Amino acid sequence: MSTAPATPAAFFERPTLVGDRVALEPLAATHAADLAEAVAVGDLWQTWYATHIASPDRMPDDIASRLEQHAAGLSTPWAIVDRESQKAVGITTYLNIEPTNRRLEIGSTWLGRSYQRSGINTEAKLLLLGRAFDDLGCIAVEFRTHWHNQQSRAAVARLGAKQDGVLRNHKVWPEGTIRDTVVFSIIDGEWPTVKRSLEQRAAHRS
């Protein structure tokens, strides 16, 4: 079960979270060059369902926008840093933060193609979930993804999250297509088992 709930302000704090392979650092303008380099590999930002990923030239503006949302109490963003290279290779965020209801969403996440399937995502999620359940006292952590993003849906399921349902016609995207959003969650009673599974996967970099 989760610990006692933290103060509402704690949900928006951004301590550096450190694992064996990855560190989650408070997102800052200084990460822009690394992130532009990471996103350029394979033109990651052009993936049609990934509208939250900025192009290399837009990365400074994207970071500024994310920091504005943090200042407004709407999100809590981190840079995903590969400890071996000491480079920022992606972004991850707490969204839909509800301190009163002791829940939040992990989302608006991307990881450079060169670092996918390397174990970095697994360890980053382990760090974020640990903070949510063990430090903040959350009773539920949510994940949302595009119905057609099969890679993301499979990755969330591998974390141990269960599908809650599908929000049909949930969002109208800039080019006019409609997004159906798949909602997953992990609840506090499931966290000990999920944590053990993720620790084993992280140790094998899977």
Side-chain angles (χ1 to χ4, degrees):
M1 299 296 288
S2 63
T3 59
T7 64
F11 281 72
F12 298 95
E13 294 173 355
R14 296 187 298 159
T16 297
L17 307 175
V18 181
D20 292 332
R21 178 84 192 277
V22 66
L24 301 182
E25 298 179 356
L27 182 65
T30 52
H31 292 118
D34 283 352
L35 293 172
E37 179 182 340
V39 83
V41 176
D43 294 340
L44 183 64
W45 79 95
Q46 292 187 356
T47 306
W48 71 271
Y49 48 71
T51 58
H52 65 284
I53 303 178
S55 61
D57 62 307
R58 293 288 300 169
M59 194 60 65
D61 291 338
D62 180 69
I63 291 174
S65 176
R66 290 171 185 264
L67 294 180
E68 287 174 1
Q69 292 180 46
H70 176 247
L74 299 175
S75 65
T76 307
W78 281 272
I80 302 171
V81 176
D82 172 35
R83 294 189 65 195
E84 183 175 353
S85 67
Q86 290 298 304
K87 287 188 173 184
V89 297
I91 294 175
T92 191
T93 314
Y94 282 166
L95 303 165
N96 294 320
I97 300 168
E98 302 180 35
T100 300
N101 292 320
R102 299 169 62 184
R103 63 184 298 133
L104 52 80
E105 175 191 349
I106 295 175
S108 194
T109 299
W110 65 265
L111 185 65
R113 291 194 192 278
S114 299
Y115 297 88
Q116 294 176 12
R117 302 187 182 280
S118 67
I120 283 182
N121 181 61
T122 299
E123 192 172 70
K125 292 298 192 296
L126 177 60
L127 292 170
L128 289 170
L129 288 165
R131 173 157 176 78
F133 287 116
D134 298 334
D135 299 340
L136 300 179
C138 285
I139 60 173
V141 173
E142 187 176 294
F143 301 85
R144 297 188 176 199
T145 188
H146 199 299
W147 172 267
H148 290 283
N149 189 344
Q150 299 294 334
Q151 180 179 347
S152 178
R153 289 172 62 183
V156 172
R158 284 196 302 271
L159 293 174
K162 293 182 174 62
Q163 183 173 317
D164 295 324
V166 181
L167 302 176
R168 305 292 304 278
N169 282 3
H170 184 223
K171 290 186 177 181
V172 179
W173 283 34
E175 80 283 5
T177 61
I178 305 297
R179 164 172 158 156
D180 289 348
T181 298
V182 188
V183 183
F184 296 82
S185 68
I186 298 170
I187 59 175
D188 55 345
E190 298 166 342
W191 170 231
T193 302
V194 170
K195 180 179 181 180
R196 184 173 182 181
S197 175
L198 291 178
E199 287 173 340
Q200 292 182 347
R201 283 184 55 196
H204 292 89
R205 296 193 172 190
S206 62

